[in-house]
Amino acid sequence: MIYSFMLAILVGLLKWFQWKFLIVDNAIDIYIGLIAVFFTLLGIWIATQLTRPRVEKVIVEKEIFVPITDEFTINKTELDKLNLTKREYEILQLITKGHSNADIASLLFLSLSTVKTHTSNLFVKMNVKRRTQAIEKAKRLQIVE
Amino acid sequence: MIYSFMLAILVGLLKWFQWKFLIVDNAIDIYIGLIAVFFTLLGIWIATQLTRPRVEKVIVEKEIFVPITDEFTINKTELDKLNLTKREYEILQLITKGHSNADIASLLFLSLSTVKTHTSNLFVKMNVKRRTQAIEKAKRLQIVE
DNA sequence: AAGCTCTTCATACCTTAGTACCGATTTTAT
DNA sequence: ATAAAATCGGTACTAAGGTATGAAGAGCTT
């Protein structure tokens, strides 16, 4: 639309210049020059309108120091050394969470006797005498969270 | 330089056009139109040459994982909340290391009774029922190492 | 000086933890 | 298939943990 409008102006200008050079024949160079300048500017204007601004992206890396997420990973080596059974390890985990033997019996649907048997065997394997020592050792060896 | 070269072409063209319209007087509109189109294109070309691409800096955050300096710092806020006495806190620390009441009595040169009194008061303040729960809570609140 | 908290210790009582020893299934590995 | 390990459960006993209550001295504040 803008361009067609420009063409309209162009036509008008042509008529005007045509009339002009009939009057002043020698001034034709000047008019042509003016046309040249005008259309050059028009071209520049069109170009700036049509061409999207060329954007050159320069990627700048900004270093951000992030503390390693304190993901707990069990020390499998140490855990294997202890040679605990599934049940024993399960019970150890509950012990470290502060559960009593009675609690554990309820949680695992076992009798108190069974839990006591497991804990006793567990302590022998861990080479500790009390559950509090088991907790301390388990946390130190990183075999529980 | 390019522009002066263009002006040279322009001068040449003017002479050519001037000569042309002397020969074919009626064709002036066409020549003017050609001039318009040419200089429009010239303007567009100049514009594309002149406009430098805008440089846009894109800052990309690069995460660098830094191992947590595992310097343990006690959570003073949580510790203050509990309002423990020196002795109680001292005993709590020994409990978390797996010591029995008898051990603690020996270590602190106290009677077993005294240790029991302290632990009992400690558990009330910590709102727990057993030493294992105290351990779990103390570690969770990071008030002991 | 009176009041407060902290500390120490004691007795009595109850609960939980832990050991020892046993028997019985069920899994797992050879 | 057989042996070994793991699981489950029980009784009886001892050890340790925990509660309740009281008492007394030390140190601090008002």
Side-chain angles (χ1 to χ4, degrees):
Chain A
M1 210 200 77
I2 294 171
Y3 200 74
S4 60
F5 179 69
M6 283 308 179
L7 284 177
I9 291 177
L10 169 63
V11 170
L13 285 169
L14 287 177
K15 289 294 175 192
W16 183 71
F17 278 113
Q18 194 168 20
W19 178 77
K20 262 294 184 199
F21 90 73
L22 285 176
I23 302 301
V24 192
D25 202 287
N26 281 0
I28 186 67
D29 289 359
I30 296 168
Y31 296 127
I32 296 284
L34 286 174
I35 288 172
V37 171
F38 174 78
F39 280 96
T40 302
L41 292 174
L42 178 66
I44 290 174
W45 180 79
I46 287 171
T48 57
Q49 292 306 109
L50 291 182
T51 59
R52 305 227 132 267
R54 268 194 291 162
V55 176
E56 200 170 86
K57 284 185 179 176
V58 176
I59 293 173
V60 179
E61 283 190 349
K62 182 185 178 187
E63 294 180 343
I64 291 184
F65 291 87
V66 180
I68 282 178
T69 51
D70 200 358
E71 280 172 24
F72 177 81
T73 47
I74 61 157
N75 190 332
K76 257 195 163 295
T77 316
E78 291 296 335
L79 184 54
D80 287 347
K81 274 189 199 167
L82 293 178
N83 207 31
L84 304 182
T85 67
K86 277 186 188 176
R87 255 327 193 206
E88 285 161 358
Y89 182 52
E90 205 175 358
I91 287 175
L92 173 60
Q93 290 175 314
L94 292 175
I95 285 176
T96 59
K97 286 180 182 168
H99 292 293
S100 67
N101 288 339
D103 285 346
I104 298 171
S106 297
L107 289 169
L108 301 183
F109 305 102
L110 296 175
S111 76
L112 182 58
S113 308
T114 307
V115 177
K116 282 187 175 185
T117 306
H118 286 312
T119 55
S120 203
N121 295 333
L122 172 65
F123 296 158
V124 171
K125 289 187 181 175
M126 290 186 74
N127 194 31
V128 296
K129 293 227 165 295
R130 289 177 296 280
R131 55 175 52 221
T132 50
Q133 287 183 334
I135 294 172
E136 193 277 329
K137 191 160 187 173
K139 298 231 177 197
R140 182 158 43 78
L141 299 183
Q142 303 215 65
I143 59 179
V144 290
E145 222 172 321
Chain B
M1 210 202 74
I2 293 170
Y3 201 74
S4 59
F5 178 67
M6 281 308 174
L7 284 176
I9 292 177
L10 170 61
V11 170
L13 284 171
L14 286 177
K15 289 294 176 193
W16 184 70
F17 276 115
Q18 194 169 20
W19 177 78
K20 262 299 184 197
F21 90 73
L22 284 175
I23 304 300
V24 191
D25 199 287
N26 280 1
I28 186 69
D29 289 359
I30 296 167
Y31 299 129
I32 296 285
L34 288 173
I35 287 173
V37 170
F38 174 80
F39 280 95
T40 301
L41 292 174
L42 178 66
I44 289 173
W45 179 78
I46 289 172
T48 57
Q49 292 306 110
L50 289 182
T51 57
R52 295 251 123 252
R54 254 198 307 141
V55 174
E56 199 169 85
K57 284 186 178 179
V58 178
I59 294 173
V60 175
E61 293 184 346
K62 182 184 179 187
E63 289 185 339
I64 293 181
F65 290 91
V66 179
I68 277 180
T69 54
D70 66 354
E71 282 170 21
F72 177 82
T73 47
I74 61 156
N75 190 332
K76 256 195 162 296
T77 317
E78 291 295 335
L79 183 55
D80 287 348
K81 275 189 198 167
L82 294 178
N83 207 32
L84 304 181
T85 67
K86 276 187 189 177
R87 253 332 192 204
E88 285 161 357
Y89 182 53
E90 206 175 357
I91 287 175
L92 173 60
Q93 289 175 313
L94 293 174
I95 285 176
T96 59
K97 285 180 183 168
H99 292 293
S100 66
N101 287 339
D103 286 346
I104 298 172
S106 297
L107 289 168
L108 300 183
F109 306 102
L110 296 176
S111 76
L112 182 58
S113 307
T114 307
V115 177
K116 282 188 174 184
T117 306
H118 285 313
T119 54
S120 201
N121 294 332
L122 172 64
F123 296 160
V124 171
K125 288 186 181 177
M126 291 186 74
N127 194 32
V128 296
K129 293 227 166 293
R130 290 178 295 279
R131 57 174 52 223
T132 49
Q133 288 184 333
I135 295 171
E136 192 276 330
K137 190 161 188 174
K139 297 231 178 196
R140 182 158 43 78
L141 298 183
Q142 303 217 63
I143 60 179
V144 290
E145 218 170 326

